[in-house]
Amino acid sequence: MLMMAVSACASNTATPTPDPTQSLIVFTPEPSAVPVTPTATAVPPPSAGELLQTPRTNDTSTEIQREMISATETDLANYLALEDFSEIQIVLYEVVHWQGEALECESAPLRLTTQGLEGLRIVYLYDETIYTYRTGEAEFMRCEEVSALQAPPDVIVLIDPVAADQVSLAKRRIAQDLDISSRLINVDSVEVRVWEDTSLGCPAAGQNYEPIQTNGYRIVLTAGENSYIFHASFDRLVLCQDEPIELDDTDT
């Protein structure tokens, strides 16, 4: 009897159920990228043809103006001995008045006036060279042939969007300082430069600069009777009123 009682008690005792075992998830760490210190390298600017923006044209041009554009384009193609006109890019054309009664390459164009001889100023780009034409009502003259790097300011800002951005930024800075409209600020010159170090040709006293050649621009703005000189690279703009004077051989 005692053995049966013990057996009955043992059968009534619940066997404990062990907790489920969770799988151990091992996270494999990914290697961290080691920061790399970039080495400053002077990068040559893109070609003028690669940077050319949308030409300044006018859809309301007259038939005579379109004929003049076609005639000057043909003349330039013949001058360059080109069979494919598509290699010539028109940068801009604008209606102006020329001083006097005849086309003269030395005279400056007159704008916002009805004085002088009415015509067009047409600018073309071919193989890193700028060609400028002057036209009247029935005649034209090829007047200027310069490297794209030596183009007039209004042409440089059309073929080089970086220069355009830096000129726009410089004008905004002067406009804010003088509290005037940027329309009252004129672009006197825009020159492509290669600065010899990171000072951009405008070193500050007591500062050290890395001797790294940097492509950039020298920009001169005028507001009233005052001039403002900026030195720029692709990503920096420095007001440089006290820039070092560059002496010619004749001045030494």
Side-chain angles (χ1 to χ4, degrees):
M1 295 289 293
L2 179 60
M3 294 296 293
M4 295 178 61
V6 172
S7 176
C9 288
S11 61
N12 292 334
T13 302
T15 302
T17 304
D19 294 333
T21 303
Q22 296 183 352
S23 300
L24 179 62
I25 302 175
V26 180
F27 292 94
T28 303
E30 296 182 358
S32 301
V34 178
V36 178
T37 302
T39 302
T41 305
V43 179
S47 67
E50 294 172 337
L51 293 173
L52 185 64
Q53 300 185 48
T54 304
R56 185 196 308 172
T57 56
N58 186 351
D59 292 337
T60 61
S61 58
T62 66
E63 182 64 29
I64 293 179
Q65 293 170 355
R66 289 192 291 271
E67 289 177 357
M68 279 298 175
I69 293 173
S70 177
T72 55
E73 185 179 46
T74 300
D75 178 81
L76 181 57
N78 292 335
Y79 173 70
L80 298 173
L82 297 176
E83 296 181 358
D84 186 0
F85 284 31
S86 65
E87 298 180 38
I88 300 174
Q89 296 173 280
I90 182 169
V91 178
L92 71 85
Y93 78 83
E94 60 177 343
V95 178
V96 297
H97 285 76
W98 305 110
Q99 300 180 37
E101 298 300 326
L103 292 176
E104 297 179 359
C105 291
E106 293 76 18
S107 64
L110 302 175
R111 300 176 177 85
L112 304 178
T113 180
T114 58
Q115 302 297 318
L117 177 65
E118 181 176 340
L120 295 176
R121 173 179 174 244
I122 309 174
V123 179
Y124 294 101
L125 171 67
Y126 172 75
D127 193 24
E128 302 300 309
T129 302
I130 293 293
Y131 301 88
T132 301
Y133 279 82
R134 299 183 174 203
T135 82
E137 293 183 355
E139 58 182 347
F140 62 84
M141 182 178 298
R142 186 176 61 254
C143 287
E144 191 175 23
E145 179 179 337
V146 298
S147 164
L149 299 179
Q150 299 173 326
D154 61 338
V155 174
I156 285 185
V157 297
L158 284 176
I159 65 177
D160 187 341
V162 176
D165 288 343
Q166 295 294 44
V167 168
S168 178
L169 179 58
K171 292 180 68 174
R172 289 201 301 270
R173 287 190 183 180
I174 297 302
Q176 291 175 357
D177 291 344
L178 301 180
D179 193 22
I180 61 175
S181 170
S182 59
R183 295 181 180 179
L184 299 178
I185 301 173
N186 297 316
V187 182
D188 186 64
S189 67
V190 180
E191 303 173 19
V192 176
R193 293 290 185 91
V194 177
W195 308 115
E196 293 301 321
D197 56 41
T198 54
S199 72
L200 304 185
C202 193
Q207 296 292 324
N208 295 321
Y209 299 94
E210 296 184 60
I212 300 173
Q213 286 194 340
T214 305
N215 296 296
Y217 313 90
R218 180 180 182 271
I219 302 168
V220 180
L221 307 179
T222 56
E225 298 180 353
N226 298 318
S227 296
Y228 302 88
I229 302 172
F230 287 87
H231 290 190
S233 64
F234 289 164
D235 57 359
R236 292 177 57 206
L237 182 69
V238 179
L239 180 61
C240 190
Q241 292 297 89
D242 299 323
E243 68 175 3
I245 299 176
E246 298 180 0
L247 297 178
D248 296 331
D249 294 339
T250 57
D251 297 329
T252 56

